[in-house]
Amino acid sequence: SEYIKEQTVRDMLKMSTASLDRHWMALGIKNRTEYYFTRKQNRPSGTLYNYDSTGTYILGILVEKISGKNFIDYLKEKLFRKIGVSEELYCLKTPEGHLWADSGVLCRSIDFLKIAQFATNMGMWNGEQLLSREYMIAATSMQAFTANDGYGGYNKYGYGYQFWITEQNGFSFN
């Protein structure tokens, strides 16, 4: 059903997928896509936070499958060019040939600053609302309780949609 698809994506965004296993690299996994969809399901999706970078990787693949463009080209077209991010921004590729969406994005410091300013402005750039303010408020608000992961420190304040929540209702890319 459409709800299940939408809910599954939301669970990926807030790091509450159905598996506790997040150590794909240590396990020597070569095909992360296959691994993601065949690994053990420990609980229903959405029930418990567990940082799962492979979920973010799969989100990048979903963008590619739906739009016909890799997620960097899609973001350049829909957002990055509008906020002045340089064309040099790129993403490393995995052995499977997909972009490494969860940790392989490389850009200049000024580009990262522009992306951070866009997020701080809740999706607005030069007076134009490029991304829904409502979505940005939800993305930068606690969607998942993280204090149960045992780490504490900076990540004990929660997780939004691909954003860490910080003290005093702040947020960060980390």
Side-chain angles (χ1 to χ4, degrees), residues 27-47:
L27 296 172
I29 303 301
K30 300 292 184 222
N31 185 330
R32 288 177 78 191
T33 305
E34 178 182 346
Y35 172 70
Y36 185 82
F37 289 105
T38 60
R39 66 190 179 170
K40 181 181 177 188
Q41 304 296 298
N42 303 91
R43 64 189 183 276
S45 181
T47 57

Side-chain angles (χ1 to χ4, degrees), residues 23 160 173:
H23 303 291
F173 307 109

Side-chain angles (χ1 to χ4, degrees), residues 137-151:
I137 290 169
T140 58
S141 299
M142 186 171 72
Q143 299 296 328
F145 180 72
T146 58
N148 61 343
D149 71 3
Y151 292 109

Side-chain angles (χ1 to χ4, degrees), residues 41-111:
Q41 304 296 298
N42 303 91
R43 64 189 183 276
S45 181
T47 57
L48 185 67
Y49 165 86
N50 184 61
Y51 190 83
D52 179 10
S53 64
T54 302
T56 302
Y57 169 73
I58 296 298
L59 288 171
I61 293 173
L62 288 173
V63 168
E64 184 177 329
K65 296 292 182 191
I66 292 168
S67 73
K69 301 172 183 161
N70 69 51
F71 88 98
I72 290 294
D73 289 342
Y74 182 82
L75 285 173
K76 283 180 178 181
E77 176 187 316
K78 299 292 184 182
L79 176 65
F80 290 162
R81 288 184 185 113
K82 292 177 182 178
I83 66 172
V85 171
S86 70
E87 290 295 317
E88 289 80 29
L89 177 136
Y90 69 100
C91 188
L92 302 175
K93 284 190 174 183
T94 67
E96 296 173 68
H98 296 291
L99 295 186
W100 200 327
D102 54 320
S103 60
V105 178
L106 302 168
C107 65
R108 300 178 312 167
S109 298
I110 190 69
D111 295 329

Side-chain angles (χ1 to χ4, degrees), residues 14 57 101 107 128 154:
K14 66 180 183 175
Y57 169 73
C107 65
E128 183 181 357
Y154 73 90

